[in-house]
Amino acid sequence: MRRTDRGMEHIISAGIDIGTSTTKLVISRFSLMNTAGASHVPRIEIINTEILYKSPIYRTPLSQGDEIDMPAVFALVRSEYAKAGIRENEIQTGAVIITGETATKRNAEEMVRRLSDEAGEFLVATAGPDLEGMIAAKGSGAYEHSKRTGRTVANIDIGGGTANIAVYQAGLFKGTCTLHIGGRLIEYAEKRISKLSRPVQLLLEKRKWDLSIGNASDSPIIGQVANAMAETLARILAGQVTAEDEPLLLGHPPNWDVAVEDIMFSGGVSECIYRLEPNDTGGTSASVYHDMGVQLAETLRTHPELTRWRWIHPLETVRATVLGAGTQTTEISGATIQVEHEVLPLKNLPVHRISFEYETENIQDKIMRAVEQALELYDPGREGRNFALYLSEVPHLRFHDVQHIAVSLHEALCRQPDQRQPIVVVTENDIAKVLGQSLQVIQQKRGILCIDQIRVENGDYLDIGRMLHSGVVPVVVKTLAFHS
């Protein structure tokens, strides 16, 4: 599926979302082109994304209460690839997202790593509520709405176990927050409550409400729980957190510093609000959920506290995260890079940032200290685990300065216990090629991968794919932090 025509290159991306309630897949095609003028440094960008295939929506296969049924997930993915007419070796980028309460399952990390290895040459794995929220905001259309209108938009992606909120203002990311709000936090069997999640139990204890497993599924207390969730959501959107909200807060409080103007809902519960999906959902019935999802959706839709914001219709509901994963996670490196083909692809490489603070003084000390910190963070047992260094806030450099940085990097990275692994450097500005070539001259034992025009931070992980015909590499910046 990779080809070039008239200066354009096409690559195939896959997105897989394994959520608390549902699992789905999307296959996309990216069109890449040099958007710089003939006399300028090449800048390869994704100029078009075409959705080739959307899978039905399946119930997430669970083998036991605390484990994902991995063989069933692998079989589902292979079956959907076959329906799409795509082979695993044609997948060059994309993301596997383990979302919501599925990320708390005992084998979630093993699942995501194995699927990353088996589902395509360069299919990557991500998890973590903040990133989930950002990806869903792009898949739902909230990010584009913000960018187009200049307004501040909060996308609330509500699935079976969590609500991931991401706020964008004029296309700029402003913050996130994740709540224990979801359709499957109370489940039913034969018109009786069969499950009360731990966050709901804490809420019941705090409010002194009496609700137990075995109670009728039409208990008015369930309506009070849904109402409490809507009230908490309204306070969080206003940037407030009270003691009443603590049972439903997952992780950090809202961290945006702007006033939300518009709100958009995505995720499975939002489908109960908007009904955008066709009735035939393949692996599950859209009309029978056996949980509080429909009641929660109706409460959110009619709650007076949520009317203070303008509601924006989403482009996607239940498929927002998987579309974001398949179409929005990939970045393209600069064209002036130094890459040795045999070291690629690389997956799950942690990033350590070195800030030069726009100064050329004390470069050697800064690099040495940063490498020592990276070793303590990512390879404390000195087992040979590799990492990438990100050079940021770099001042204007002369060739002599670049050579000095190369020598300092070489000396510091000699402390890594496994000298067979490649040296991986990401630069904020366009010095990757000259820096990589300078490193090559200094030493020939280790492979060199030096790329630019990618923005990362401490705590990020990188997946870097094979070099494309256009001389760039696809990169996914991600987090592998699982819920605790």
Side-chain angles (χ1 to χ4, degrees):
M1 281 283 183
R2 179 192 296 182
R3 68 178 192 272
T4 56
D5 54 72
R6 297 181 182 178
M8 191 178 295
E9 183 170 5
H10 305 282
I11 62 175
I12 300 299
S13 171
I16 302 171
D17 177 12
I18 304 171
T20 305
S21 303
T22 60
T23 292
K24 48 268 183 194
L25 178 147
V26 65
I27 304 290
S28 311
R29 177 165 53 215
F30 295 160
S31 299
L32 280 61
M33 180 175 279
N34 180 11
T35 60
S39 60
H40 294 80
V41 173
R43 181 175 289 273
I44 310 300
E45 296 182 4
I46 298 171
I47 62 165
N48 185 54
T49 300
E50 176 188 1
I51 306 297
L52 301 179
Y53 177 76
K54 295 180 184 179
S55 79
I57 298 167
Y58 294 94
R59 286 286 187 194
T60 295
L62 300 175
S63 57
Q64 299 174 24
D66 60 351
E67 287 196 356
I68 303 165
D69 187 340
M70 289 197 287
V73 171
F74 292 143
L76 188 157
V77 170
R78 292 189 191 101
S79 171
E80 292 305 308
Y81 276 7
K83 292 177 186 176
I86 296 291
R87 296 186 300 273
E88 286 90 340
N89 61 7
E90 294 179 285
I91 304 296
Q92 294 146 283
T93 187
V96 182
I97 311 291
I98 302 285
T99 57
E101 298 220 321
T102 311
T104 68
K105 300 300 180 186
R106 190 168 60 185
N107 63 340
E109 191 165 358
E110 180 189 0
M111 167 80 243
V112 86
R113 294 186 195 283
R114 283 188 57 187
L115 194 57
S116 171
D117 290 337
E118 295 184 23
E121 176 190 278
F122 182 50
L123 191 64
V124 303
T126 69
D130 288 348
L131 185 62
E132 291 165 23
M134 295 166 69
I135 289 173
K138 292 183 176 180
S140 71
Y143 165 77
E144 281 298 330
H145 171 80
S146 158
K147 193 174 179 181
R148 185 179 67 255
T149 63
R151 293 175 65 83
T152 304
V153 184
N155 189 76
I156 305 106
D157 188 71
I158 308 182
T162 57
N164 300 311
I165 306 169
V167 176
Y168 284 88
Q169 183 181 64
L172 298 175
F173 172 69
K174 291 297 180 179
T176 59
C177 186
T178 301
L179 301 172
H180 290 291
I181 296 177
R184 294 185 69 83
L185 295 183
I186 300 179
E187 295 182 33
Y188 314 133
E190 298 179 352
K191 297 184 179 181
R192 296 283 172 180
I193 295 172
S194 60
K195 173 191 171 184
L196 289 173
S197 67
R198 181 59 181 161
V200 168
Q201 292 175 27
L202 293 173
L203 179 67
L204 295 171
E205 291 171 11
K206 193 170 191 67
R207 301 292 181 97
K208 296 182 170 53
W209 292 337
D210 186 14
L211 189 70
S212 304
I213 291 175
N215 288 172
S217 59
D218 61 356
S219 167
I221 301 296
I222 298 172
Q224 292 178 246
V225 169
N227 193 66
M229 289 178 173
E231 290 174 347
T232 287
L233 176 59
R235 283 191 290 269
I236 293 296
L237 289 171
Q240 304 164 1
V241 181
T242 69
E244 291 183 329
D245 304 317
E246 289 176 2
L248 300 181
L249 186 65
L250 196 169
H252 63 78
N255 57 8
W256 51 87
D257 57 1
V258 293
V260 172
E261 297 173 292
D262 301 341
I263 59 175
M264 183 182 291
F265 288 88
S266 62
V269 169
S270 80
E271 177 56 28
C272 297
I273 297 174
Y274 301 110
R275 297 291 184 186
L276 298 186
E277 285 288 319
N279 289 331
D280 179 18
T281 56
T284 184
S285 168
S287 60
V288 182
Y289 293 98
H290 303 296
D291 58 40
M292 69 176 294
V294 173
Q295 188 169 1
L296 175 60
E298 182 63 17
T299 301
L300 295 171
R301 190 181 66 81
T302 59
H303 200 283
E305 288 295 316
L306 292 171
T307 61
R308 74 177 87 169
W309 294 282
R310 186 171 72 171
W311 284 50
I312 306 299
H313 211 69
L315 300 177
E316 294 285 345
T317 53
V318 68
R319 298 178 189 271
T321 304
V322 72
L323 281 169
T327 64
Q328 301 287 342
T329 53
T330 298
E331 300 181 37
I332 301 299
S333 75
T336 54
I337 61 177
Q338 180 65 31
V339 176
E340 294 181 24
H341 297 266
E342 60 271 17
V343 307
L344 295 174
L346 290 173
K347 293 184 180 182
N348 300 337
L349 205 61
V351 174
H352 195 72
R353 182 172 179 256
I354 306 175
S355 173
F356 284 28
E357 300 172 325
Y358 302 108
E359 296 178 352
T360 56
E361 296 180 4
N362 303 318
I363 283 177
Q364 188 171 18
D365 290 341
K366 288 177 181 176
I367 290 175
M368 193 65 73
R369 285 197 304 271
V371 169
E372 288 174 357
Q373 291 171 350
L375 285 167
E376 287 301 316
L377 282 169
Y378 303 118
D379 194 15
R382 298 303 190 266
E383 298 169 302
R385 296 179 179 175
N386 204 6
F387 50 82
L389 294 174
Y390 175 51
L391 311 186
S392 69
E393 298 180 335
V394 179
H396 178 72
L397 299 174
R398 299 165 297 176
F399 182 62
H400 171 76
D401 297 321
V402 175
Q403 288 183 310
H404 181 43
I405 292 171
V407 170
S408 300
L409 285 169
H410 168 64
E411 291 177 355
L413 292 169
C414 280
R415 300 186 177 197
Q416 286 185 287
D418 188 351
Q419 292 292 300
R420 297 167 299 177
Q421 293 180 325
I423 294 173
V424 183
V425 180
V426 182
T427 68
E428 193 174 37
N429 44 5
D430 297 335
I431 61 168
K433 193 171 190 69
V434 65
L435 178 59
Q437 290 175 339
S438 298
L439 277 165
Q440 259 189 334
V441 169
I442 295 167
Q443 64 85 45
Q444 285 85 38
K445 292 183 179 179
R446 302 179 66 177
I448 303 293
L449 179 61
C450 207
I451 62 174
D452 54 31
Q453 294 185 22
I454 300 292
R455 299 186 70 87
V456 287
E457 286 295 338
N458 281 337
D460 289 339
Y461 282 72
L462 293 179
D463 282 354
I464 307 171
R466 297 189 190 278
M467 181 177 277
L468 306 179
H469 293 295
S470 44
V472 298
V473 291
V475 179
V476 175
V477 181
K478 61 203 179 75
T479 173
L480 289 179
F482 281 78
H483 302 309
S484 58

